Amino acid sequence: MKPIVDYRVYLVTDRALCLGRDLLDVVAAAVQGGVTLVQLREKHAGGREFVELGRALKDLLDPHRIPLLVNDRVDVAQAIGAAGVHVGQSDIPYADVRRILGPDAIIGLSVDTMEQALAAPDLDQVAGGAGIGPDYLGVGPIFPTATKLDAGEAWGLEKLTALRRQTHQTLVGIGGITVANAAAVMRAGADGVAVVSAIVSAPDPAAAARELLDAVEAARV
Ligand code: TZP
Ligand code: MG
């Protein structure tokens, strides 16, 4: 069965931004603070290291029933029994990822433009006949960010709202999201906020995660 996923505060990892702290310690703190979903995104990890890190992260998250997604690497996700994968526009095509991982996997797709976002539901037709589109769209960057240098032009809140009006897809905002603007992203139509630096580079990752969750919750009422 497909797990129910809570997208409210979605932590995306980057060891290089952890200010010298161990990634597992940072994620453990973020879990205490209340992150609801985690993606292992380590662009410079080799296959073996990626698997070892993924296993350790999954062991940390499983007792809390927090799903782990793997960035780009379908093989790593399968090796560690992760809940799913997140792919971008130039990675293995969504339909192939769905065919490999099956209907119960959580698969996220990055959309960099409105055109890509509106084309995404059409993927239903090519998902091996399974009729299953992506579980969520990662919409970004919402704001300028130094974390992903090739992230492209920022969407801004108005464009996110315009997308919200045209799709029923689950939308997760990413890029430049902080405690200060997370509520605005939710009010603009996101179902959750994905962050890297706002948590992993925070002096107190547990407090940062807690404040993000509070901001998201405040926007929902
Ligand atoms: N995809 C679009 S922006 C981004 C990714 C992975 C980086 C987000 O990092 P931050 O530190 O939350 O701005
Ligand atoms: Mg990718």
Side-chain angles (χ1 to χ4, degrees):
M1 257 191 28
K2 196 189 274 279
I4 293 168
V5 180
D6 178 345
Y7 291 96
R8 286 176 297 168
V9 181
Y10 181 2
L11 170 63
V12 179
T13 73
D14 188 336
R15 280 179 300 177
L17 298 180
C18 289
L19 310 180
R21 300 168 296 196
D22 188 272
L23 177 64
L24 291 174
D25 292 339
V26 171
V27 176
V31 165
Q32 292 310 315
V35 294
T36 57
L37 180 62
V38 176
Q39 178 190 137
L40 178 61
R41 180 178 185 271
E42 293 297 337
K43 294 294 188 187
H44 303 295
R48 175 175 292 262
E49 196 183 17
F50 212 149
V51 165
E52 286 171 359
L53 204 50
R55 282 220 171 93
L57 211 46
K58 190 165 179 298
D59 286 347
L60 185 118
L61 297 171
D62 278 352
H64 301 276
R65 297 178 195 276
I66 297 172
L68 174 65
L69 305 185
V70 174
N71 182 265
D72 295 347
R73 295 285 300 261
V74 178
D75 53 349
V76 172
Q78 284 185 307
I80 68 172
V85 165
H86 182 94
V87 283
Q89 294 286 327
S90 48
D91 296 317
I92 301 174
Y94 165 76
D96 293 304
V97 180
R98 177 62 74 194
R99 204 173 297 122
I100 295 166
L101 294 182
D104 291 348
I106 304 301
I107 305 175
L109 175 68
S110 292
V111 291
D112 313 319
T113 65
M114 187 65 92
E115 291 68 33
Q116 289 172 1
L118 295 176
D122 295 340
L123 292 168
D124 275 358
Q125 276 110 58
V126 292
I132 302 164
D135 291 275
Y136 71 91
L137 300 180
V139 183
I142 300 294
F143 305 113
T145 176
T147 302
K148 187 177 193 298
L149 295 174
D150 63 349
E153 204 188 321
W155 278 69
L157 296 177
E158 283 176 23
K159 209 160 136 200
L160 175 60
T161 301
L163 173 60
R164 172 77 291 161
R165 294 202 175 112
Q166 296 175 73
T167 181
H168 294 294
Q169 278 280 2
T170 297
L171 303 179
V172 176
I174 185 164
I177 299 176
T178 65
V179 171
N181 59 29
V185 176
M186 295 299 287
R187 283 195 294 265
D191 298 289
V193 293
V195 304
V196 182
S197 56
I199 290 179
V200 306
S201 303
D204 183 343
R210 199 171 296 121
E211 286 165 23
L212 278 162
L213 187 59
D214 287 348
V216 164
E217 277 304 295
R220 274 153 49 107
V221 290

Short mmCIF file of all heavy atoms in Angstrom, two decimals, residues 15-73:
data_model
loop_
_atom_site.label_atom_id
_atom_site.label_comp_id
_atom_site.label_asym_id
_atom_site.label_seq_id
_atom_site.Cartn_x
_atom_site.Cartn_y
_atom_site.Cartn_z
N ARG A 15 24.86 17.53 2.83
CA ARG A 15 25.90 17.45 3.87
C ARG A 15 26.81 18.66 3.88
O ARG A 15 27.29 19.07 4.93
CB ARG A 15 26.78 16.20 3.65
CG ARG A 15 26.16 14.93 4.14
CD ARG A 15 27.08 13.76 3.87
NE ARG A 15 27.34 13.62 2.44
CZ ARG A 15 28.15 12.72 1.90
NH1 ARG A 15 28.80 11.89 2.69
NH2 ARG A 15 28.32 12.64 0.60
N ALA A 16 27.04 19.22 2.70
CA ALA A 16 27.99 20.34 2.58
C ALA A 16 27.48 21.59 3.31
O ALA A 16 28.26 22.50 3.59
CB ALA A 16 28.23 20.65 1.12
N LEU A 17 26.19 21.64 3.60
CA LEU A 17 25.62 22.84 4.23
C LEU A 17 25.32 22.66 5.72
O LEU A 17 24.66 23.49 6.33
CB LEU A 17 24.35 23.27 3.48
CG LEU A 17 24.55 23.66 2.01
CD1 LEU A 17 23.22 24.07 1.39
CD2 LEU A 17 25.56 24.80 1.87
N CYS A 18 25.83 21.55 6.29
CA CYS A 18 25.52 21.25 7.70
C CYS A 18 26.46 21.93 8.69
O CYS A 18 26.45 21.57 9.89
CB CYS A 18 25.53 19.74 7.93
SG CYS A 18 24.14 18.87 7.17
N LEU A 19 27.27 22.87 8.24
CA LEU A 19 28.18 23.63 9.10
C LEU A 19 29.13 22.71 9.87
O LEU A 19 29.42 22.96 11.05
CB LEU A 19 27.40 24.52 10.09
CG LEU A 19 26.28 25.41 9.53
CD1 LEU A 19 25.63 26.20 10.66
CD2 LEU A 19 26.81 26.36 8.46
N GLY A 20 29.60 21.65 9.21
CA GLY A 20 30.56 20.75 9.83
C GLY A 20 29.95 19.70 10.74
O GLY A 20 30.64 18.82 11.24
N ARG A 21 28.63 19.79 10.95
CA ARG A 21 27.98 18.79 11.82
C ARG A 21 27.68 17.54 11.01
O ARG A 21 27.53 17.59 9.79
CB ARG A 21 26.69 19.38 12.40
CG ARG A 21 26.93 20.62 13.24
CD ARG A 21 25.65 21.36 13.56
NE ARG A 21 24.99 21.88 12.37
CZ ARG A 21 24.04 22.79 12.40
NH1 ARG A 21 23.62 23.29 13.56
NH2 ARG A 21 23.48 23.22 11.29
N ASP A 22 27.51 16.42 11.72
CA ASP A 22 27.17 15.17 11.05
C ASP A 22 25.73 15.24 10.53
O ASP A 22 24.82 15.66 11.25
CB ASP A 22 27.32 14.01 12.05
CG ASP A 22 27.18 12.68 11.37
OD1 ASP A 22 26.03 12.19 11.24
OD2 ASP A 22 28.20 12.14 10.92
N LEU A 23 25.56 14.80 9.28
CA LEU A 23 24.22 14.88 8.69
C LEU A 23 23.18 14.12 9.52
O LEU A 23 22.05 14.61 9.71
CB LEU A 23 24.23 14.33 7.26
CG LEU A 23 22.85 14.30 6.57
CD1 LEU A 23 22.29 15.70 6.38
CD2 LEU A 23 22.93 13.57 5.23
N LEU A 24 23.57 12.95 10.03
CA LEU A 24 22.59 12.16 10.79
C LEU A 24 22.17 12.89 12.08
O LEU A 24 21.01 12.81 12.48
CB LEU A 24 23.16 10.78 11.12
CG LEU A 24 23.33 9.86 9.92
CD1 LEU A 24 24.04 8.58 10.32
CD2 LEU A 24 22.01 9.56 9.24
N ASP A 25 23.11 13.61 12.70
CA ASP A 25 22.77 14.39 13.90
C ASP A 25 21.81 15.53 13.55
O ASP A 25 20.87 15.83 14.29
CB ASP A 25 24.03 14.97 14.55
CG ASP A 25 24.92 13.89 15.13
OD1 ASP A 25 24.42 12.78 15.40
OD2 ASP A 25 26.13 14.15 15.30
N VAL A 26 22.08 16.15 12.40
CA VAL A 26 21.22 17.27 11.97
C VAL A 26 19.81 16.75 11.66
O VAL A 26 18.81 17.35 12.07
CB VAL A 26 21.85 17.97 10.74
CG1 VAL A 26 20.89 18.97 10.13
CG2 VAL A 26 23.16 18.67 11.15
N VAL A 27 19.74 15.62 10.96
CA VAL A 27 18.41 15.07 10.63
C VAL A 27 17.70 14.63 11.91
O VAL A 27 16.49 14.85 12.06
CB VAL A 27 18.51 13.93 9.60
CG1 VAL A 27 17.13 13.31 9.36
CG2 VAL A 27 19.11 14.42 8.29
N ALA A 28 18.44 14.02 12.84
CA ALA A 28 17.82 13.58 14.10
C ALA A 28 17.20 14.77 14.83
O ALA A 28 16.09 14.70 15.36
CB ALA A 28 18.84 12.88 14.98
N ALA A 29 17.91 15.89 14.82
CA ALA A 29 17.38 17.09 15.47
C ALA A 29 16.14 17.60 14.73
O ALA A 29 15.13 17.97 15.34
CB ALA A 29 18.46 18.18 15.49
N ALA A 30 16.21 17.57 13.40
CA ALA A 30 15.08 18.04 12.60
C ALA A 30 13.84 17.17 12.84
O ALA A 30 12.71 17.66 12.87
CB ALA A 30 15.46 18.03 11.11
N VAL A 31 14.08 15.88 13.06
CA VAL A 31 12.97 14.97 13.37
C VAL A 31 12.35 15.36 14.71
O VAL A 31 11.13 15.40 14.85
CB VAL A 31 13.48 13.50 13.38
CG1 VAL A 31 12.48 12.57 14.04
CG2 VAL A 31 13.80 13.04 11.95
N GLN A 32 13.19 15.67 15.68
CA GLN A 32 12.67 16.11 16.97
C GLN A 32 11.84 17.38 16.82
O GLN A 32 10.84 17.57 17.49
CB GLN A 32 13.81 16.35 17.98
CG GLN A 32 14.55 15.09 18.40
CD GLN A 32 13.60 13.97 18.85
OE1 GLN A 32 12.65 14.20 19.60
NE2 GLN A 32 13.82 12.76 18.35
N GLY A 33 12.26 18.22 15.89
CA GLY A 33 11.53 19.46 15.66
C GLY A 33 10.23 19.26 14.90
O GLY A 33 9.35 20.13 14.94
N GLY A 34 10.11 18.16 14.17
CA GLY A 34 8.82 17.87 13.54
C GLY A 34 8.79 17.79 12.02
O GLY A 34 7.72 17.92 11.42
N VAL A 35 9.94 17.58 11.36
CA VAL A 35 9.87 17.42 9.90
C VAL A 35 8.99 16.21 9.57
O VAL A 35 8.93 15.24 10.32
CB VAL A 35 11.25 17.27 9.21
CG1 VAL A 35 12.05 18.55 9.33
CG2 VAL A 35 12.02 16.08 9.71
N THR A 36 8.30 16.31 8.45
CA THR A 36 7.30 15.29 8.12
C THR A 36 7.74 14.37 6.98
O THR A 36 7.09 13.35 6.74
CB THR A 36 5.98 15.98 7.74
OG1 THR A 36 6.22 16.88 6.64
CG2 THR A 36 5.40 16.75 8.91
N LEU A 37 8.81 14.73 6.29
CA LEU A 37 9.26 13.97 5.12
C LEU A 37 10.73 14.34 4.90
O LEU A 37 11.12 15.48 5.16
CB LEU A 37 8.41 14.37 3.90
CG LEU A 37 8.68 13.72 2.54
CD1 LEU A 37 8.44 12.21 2.62
CD2 LEU A 37 7.73 14.33 1.49
N VAL A 38 11.54 13.37 4.45
CA VAL A 38 12.96 13.65 4.23
C VAL A 38 13.39 13.11 2.87
O VAL A 38 12.98 12.02 2.46
CB VAL A 38 13.84 13.00 5.34
CG1 VAL A 38 15.33 13.21 5.05
CG2 VAL A 38 13.50 13.60 6.72
N GLN A 39 14.20 13.90 2.18
CA GLN A 39 14.80 13.44 0.92
C GLN A 39 16.33 13.45 1.08
O GLN A 39 16.91 14.46 1.45
CB GLN A 39 14.41 14.38 -0.22
CG GLN A 39 15.04 14.01 -1.56
CD GLN A 39 14.83 15.08 -2.63
OE1 GLN A 39 15.75 15.40 -3.38
NE2 GLN A 39 13.64 15.67 -2.70
N LEU A 40 16.93 12.31 0.75
CA LEU A 40 18.39 12.24 0.72
C LEU A 40 18.85 12.76 -0.64
O LEU A 40 18.62 12.14 -1.67
CB LEU A 40 18.86 10.80 0.93
CG LEU A 40 20.38 10.58 0.88
CD1 LEU A 40 21.09 11.38 1.96
CD2 LEU A 40 20.73 9.11 0.99
N ARG A 41 19.46 13.93 -0.60
CA ARG A 41 19.95 14.56 -1.83
C ARG A 41 21.42 14.89 -1.62
O ARG A 41 21.75 15.85 -0.93
CB ARG A 41 19.15 15.83 -2.13
CG ARG A 41 19.60 16.57 -3.40
CD ARG A 41 18.69 17.78 -3.64
NE ARG A 41 19.00 18.46 -4.87
CZ ARG A 41 19.91 19.44 -4.99
NH1 ARG A 41 20.59 19.82 -3.93
NH2 ARG A 41 20.11 20.02 -6.16
N GLU A 42 22.26 14.05 -2.17
CA GLU A 42 23.70 14.23 -1.99
C GLU A 42 24.35 14.09 -3.35
O GLU A 42 24.63 12.99 -3.82
CB GLU A 42 24.24 13.17 -1.00
CG GLU A 42 23.72 13.35 0.42
CD GLU A 42 24.15 14.67 1.06
OE1 GLU A 42 25.16 15.25 0.63
OE2 GLU A 42 23.45 15.12 2.00
N LYS A 43 24.55 15.20 -4.00
CA LYS A 43 25.00 15.21 -5.38
C LYS A 43 26.41 14.65 -5.56
O LYS A 43 26.79 14.27 -6.65
CB LYS A 43 24.94 16.64 -5.94
CG LYS A 43 23.50 17.18 -6.06
CD LYS A 43 22.71 16.39 -7.09
CE LYS A 43 21.35 17.00 -7.38
NZ LYS A 43 20.53 16.16 -8.26
N HIS A 44 27.20 14.63 -4.48
CA HIS A 44 28.59 14.20 -4.66
C HIS A 44 28.90 12.85 -4.01
O HIS A 44 30.04 12.45 -3.93
CB HIS A 44 29.55 15.28 -4.11
CG HIS A 44 29.31 16.61 -4.76
ND1 HIS A 44 29.54 16.81 -6.10
CD2 HIS A 44 28.82 17.77 -4.29
CE1 HIS A 44 29.21 18.07 -6.41
NE2 HIS A 44 28.78 18.67 -5.32
N ALA A 45 27.86 12.14 -3.59
CA ALA A 45 28.10 10.83 -2.97
C ALA A 45 28.20 9.77 -4.05
O ALA A 45 27.41 9.74 -5.00
CB ALA A 45 26.96 10.50 -2.00
N GLY A 46 29.17 8.87 -3.91
CA GLY A 46 29.26 7.73 -4.81
C GLY A 46 28.17 6.72 -4.43
O GLY A 46 27.51 6.87 -3.41
N GLY A 47 28.00 5.69 -5.25
CA GLY A 47 26.93 4.73 -5.03
C GLY A 47 26.98 4.07 -3.67
O GLY A 47 25.98 3.99 -2.96
N ARG A 48 28.17 3.60 -3.28
CA ARG A 48 28.28 2.89 -2.00
C ARG A 48 27.98 3.82 -0.83
O ARG A 48 27.22 3.48 0.08
CB ARG A 48 29.71 2.32 -1.86
CG ARG A 48 29.96 1.66 -0.51
CD ARG A 48 31.32 1.01 -0.47
NE ARG A 48 31.38 -0.13 -1.37
CZ ARG A 48 31.22 -1.40 -0.98
NH1 ARG A 48 31.01 -1.68 0.29
NH2 ARG A 48 31.28 -2.38 -1.84
N GLU A 49 28.54 5.01 -0.91
CA GLU A 49 28.33 5.97 0.17
C GLU A 49 26.86 6.38 0.25
O GLU A 49 26.29 6.53 1.34
CB GLU A 49 29.20 7.20 -0.12
CG GLU A 49 29.41 8.09 1.05
CD GLU A 49 30.21 9.33 0.69
OE1 GLU A 49 30.34 9.65 -0.52
OE2 GLU A 49 30.69 9.97 1.62
N PHE A 50 26.25 6.52 -0.92
CA PHE A 50 24.83 6.91 -0.99
C PHE A 50 23.97 5.86 -0.31
O PHE A 50 23.07 6.16 0.49
CB PHE A 50 24.44 7.07 -2.48
CG PHE A 50 23.40 8.10 -2.77
CD1 PHE A 50 23.41 8.78 -3.98
CD2 PHE A 50 22.38 8.38 -1.88
CE1 PHE A 50 22.45 9.73 -4.29
CE2 PHE A 50 21.41 9.33 -2.18
CZ PHE A 50 21.45 10.00 -3.39
N VAL A 51 24.27 4.58 -0.61
CA VAL A 51 23.51 3.48 -0.01
C VAL A 51 23.73 3.44 1.51
O VAL A 51 22.77 3.30 2.29
CB VAL A 51 23.88 2.14 -0.67
CG1 VAL A 51 23.39 0.96 0.16
CG2 VAL A 51 23.31 2.07 -2.09
N GLU A 52 24.97 3.60 1.94
CA GLU A 52 25.25 3.52 3.38
C GLU A 52 24.57 4.67 4.13
O GLU A 52 23.97 4.47 5.19
CB GLU A 52 26.77 3.54 3.61
CG GLU A 52 27.39 2.20 3.24
CD GLU A 52 28.92 2.19 3.23
OE1 GLU A 52 29.54 3.26 3.49
OE2 GLU A 52 29.47 1.13 2.93
N LEU A 53 24.65 5.85 3.54
CA LEU A 53 24.01 7.01 4.15
C LEU A 53 22.48 6.83 4.17
O LEU A 53 21.82 7.12 5.17
CB LEU A 53 24.39 8.24 3.31
CG LEU A 53 24.36 9.62 3.92
CD1 LEU A 53 25.10 9.66 5.24
CD2 LEU A 53 24.99 10.61 2.93
N GLY A 54 21.97 6.31 3.07
CA GLY A 54 20.52 6.08 2.96
C GLY A 54 20.03 5.09 3.99
O GLY A 54 18.99 5.28 4.63
N ARG A 55 20.79 4.00 4.17
CA ARG A 55 20.40 2.98 5.17
C ARG A 55 20.38 3.59 6.56
O ARG A 55 19.46 3.37 7.35
CB ARG A 55 21.39 1.82 5.16
CG ARG A 55 21.19 0.87 4.04
CD ARG A 55 21.37 -0.60 4.44
NE ARG A 55 20.93 -1.38 3.30
CZ ARG A 55 21.77 -1.81 2.34
NH1 ARG A 55 23.06 -1.57 2.43
NH2 ARG A 55 21.28 -2.48 1.31
N ALA A 56 21.42 4.35 6.87
CA ALA A 56 21.51 4.95 8.21
C ALA A 56 20.36 5.93 8.43
O ALA A 56 19.75 5.98 9.51
CB ALA A 56 22.86 5.65 8.35
N LEU A 57 20.06 6.68 7.39
CA LEU A 57 18.96 7.66 7.49
C LEU A 57 17.62 6.95 7.64
O LEU A 57 16.76 7.36 8.44
CB LEU A 57 18.98 8.50 6.20
CG LEU A 57 18.53 9.94 6.26
CD1 LEU A 57 19.12 10.68 7.43
CD2 LEU A 57 18.90 10.64 4.95
N LYS A 58 17.44 5.89 6.90
CA LYS A 58 16.17 5.14 6.98
C LYS A 58 16.01 4.53 8.38
O LYS A 58 14.90 4.56 8.94
CB LYS A 58 16.15 4.06 5.90
CG LYS A 58 14.78 3.40 5.76
CD LYS A 58 14.65 2.62 4.49
CE LYS A 58 13.28 1.96 4.40
NZ LYS A 58 13.02 0.99 5.47
N ASP A 59 17.10 4.01 8.94
CA ASP A 59 17.03 3.46 10.30
C ASP A 59 16.62 4.53 11.30
O ASP A 59 15.91 4.27 12.27
CB ASP A 59 18.39 2.88 10.71
CG ASP A 59 18.67 1.56 9.99
OD1 ASP A 59 17.74 0.99 9.40
OD2 ASP A 59 19.84 1.12 10.01
N LEU A 60 17.09 5.75 11.05
CA LEU A 60 16.75 6.86 11.94
C LEU A 60 15.28 7.28 11.80
O LEU A 60 14.62 7.62 12.77
CB LEU A 60 17.66 8.05 11.58
CG LEU A 60 17.59 9.28 12.44
CD1 LEU A 60 18.96 9.48 13.07
CD2 LEU A 60 17.28 10.52 11.63
N LEU A 61 14.78 7.24 10.55
CA LEU A 61 13.43 7.76 10.28
C LEU A 61 12.32 6.73 10.51
O LEU A 61 11.20 7.10 10.90
CB LEU A 61 13.36 8.27 8.84
CG LEU A 61 14.30 9.44 8.52
CD1 LEU A 61 14.31 9.72 7.03
CD2 LEU A 61 13.87 10.68 9.29
N ASP A 62 12.62 5.46 10.27
CA ASP A 62 11.58 4.43 10.35
C ASP A 62 10.81 4.42 11.67
O ASP A 62 9.58 4.36 11.66
CB ASP A 62 12.17 3.04 10.07
CG ASP A 62 12.33 2.75 8.58
OD1 ASP A 62 11.82 3.55 7.75
OD2 ASP A 62 12.94 1.71 8.22
N PRO A 63 11.50 4.50 12.83
CA PRO A 63 10.74 4.47 14.09
C PRO A 63 9.76 5.64 14.23
O PRO A 63 8.79 5.56 14.98
CB PRO A 63 11.84 4.58 15.16
CG PRO A 63 13.10 4.17 14.49
CD PRO A 63 12.95 4.56 13.05
N HIS A 64 10.01 6.71 13.48
CA HIS A 64 9.12 7.88 13.54
C HIS A 64 8.09 7.86 12.41
O HIS A 64 7.31 8.81 12.27
CB HIS A 64 9.95 9.17 13.44
CG HIS A 64 10.98 9.30 14.52
ND1 HIS A 64 10.69 9.81 15.76
CD2 HIS A 64 12.29 8.95 14.56
CE1 HIS A 64 11.78 9.79 16.50
NE2 HIS A 64 12.76 9.26 15.80
N ARG A 65 8.14 6.81 11.61
CA ARG A 65 7.25 6.68 10.44
C ARG A 65 7.34 7.88 9.51
O ARG A 65 6.35 8.36 8.96
CB ARG A 65 5.79 6.49 10.89
CG ARG A 65 5.59 5.21 11.66
CD ARG A 65 4.14 5.09 12.12
NE ARG A 65 3.99 4.06 13.14
CZ ARG A 65 3.85 2.77 12.89
NH1 ARG A 65 3.82 2.35 11.65
NH2 ARG A 65 3.74 1.90 13.86
N ILE A 66 8.57 8.38 9.37
CA ILE A 66 8.80 9.48 8.42
C ILE A 66 9.37 8.87 7.15
O ILE A 66 10.43 8.22 7.18
CB ILE A 66 9.79 10.52 9.00
CG1 ILE A 66 9.18 11.16 10.26
CG2 ILE A 66 10.13 11.59 7.96
CD1 ILE A 66 10.14 12.06 11.01
N PRO A 67 8.67 9.03 6.01
CA PRO A 67 9.16 8.41 4.78
C PRO A 67 10.46 9.07 4.31
O PRO A 67 10.68 10.26 4.50
CB PRO A 67 8.04 8.67 3.77
CG PRO A 67 6.86 9.11 4.56
CD PRO A 67 7.39 9.72 5.82
N LEU A 68 11.30 8.23 3.68
CA LEU A 68 12.56 8.71 3.09
C LEU A 68 12.46 8.57 1.57
O LEU A 68 12.14 7.49 1.06
CB LEU A 68 13.73 7.88 3.60
CG LEU A 68 15.10 8.18 2.96
CD1 LEU A 68 15.55 9.60 3.28
CD2 LEU A 68 16.14 7.16 3.43
N LEU A 69 12.71 9.66 0.88
CA LEU A 69 12.80 9.64 -0.58
C LEU A 69 14.26 9.84 -0.97
O LEU A 69 15.03 10.45 -0.23
CB LEU A 69 11.93 10.74 -1.21
CG LEU A 69 10.45 10.77 -0.80
CD1 LEU A 69 9.70 11.83 -1.60
CD2 LEU A 69 9.80 9.41 -0.98
N VAL A 70 14.63 9.33 -2.13
CA VAL A 70 16.00 9.45 -2.61
C VAL A 70 16.01 10.32 -3.86
O VAL A 70 15.19 10.13 -4.76
CB VAL A 70 16.60 8.05 -2.92
CG1 VAL A 70 17.97 8.18 -3.56
CG2 VAL A 70 16.68 7.21 -1.64
N ASN A 71 16.93 11.26 -3.90
CA ASN A 71 17.04 12.14 -5.07
C ASN A 71 17.74 11.40 -6.21
O ASN A 71 18.81 10.81 -6.03
CB ASN A 71 17.85 13.38 -4.67
CG ASN A 71 17.96 14.38 -5.80
OD1 ASN A 71 18.92 14.39 -6.54
ND2 ASN A 71 16.96 15.21 -5.93
N ASP A 72 17.15 11.45 -7.35
CA ASP A 72 17.73 10.94 -8.61
C ASP A 72 17.88 9.42 -8.73
O ASP A 72 17.62 8.86 -9.78
CB ASP A 72 19.14 11.51 -8.90
CG ASP A 72 19.15 13.00 -9.14
OD1 ASP A 72 18.07 13.59 -9.33
OD2 ASP A 72 20.26 13.58 -9.10
N ARG A 73 18.40 8.77 -7.69
CA ARG A 73 18.89 7.40 -7.82
C ARG A 73 17.85 6.34 -7.48
O ARG A 73 17.67 5.94 -6.34
CB ARG A 73 20.12 7.22 -6.91
CG ARG A 73 21.33 8.06 -7.32
CD ARG A 73 22.04 7.52 -8.54
NE ARG A 73 22.54 6.16 -8.36
CZ ARG A 73 23.80 5.85 -8.06
NH1 ARG A 73 24.69 6.77 -7.88
NH2 ARG A 73 24.17 4.57 -7.95
#
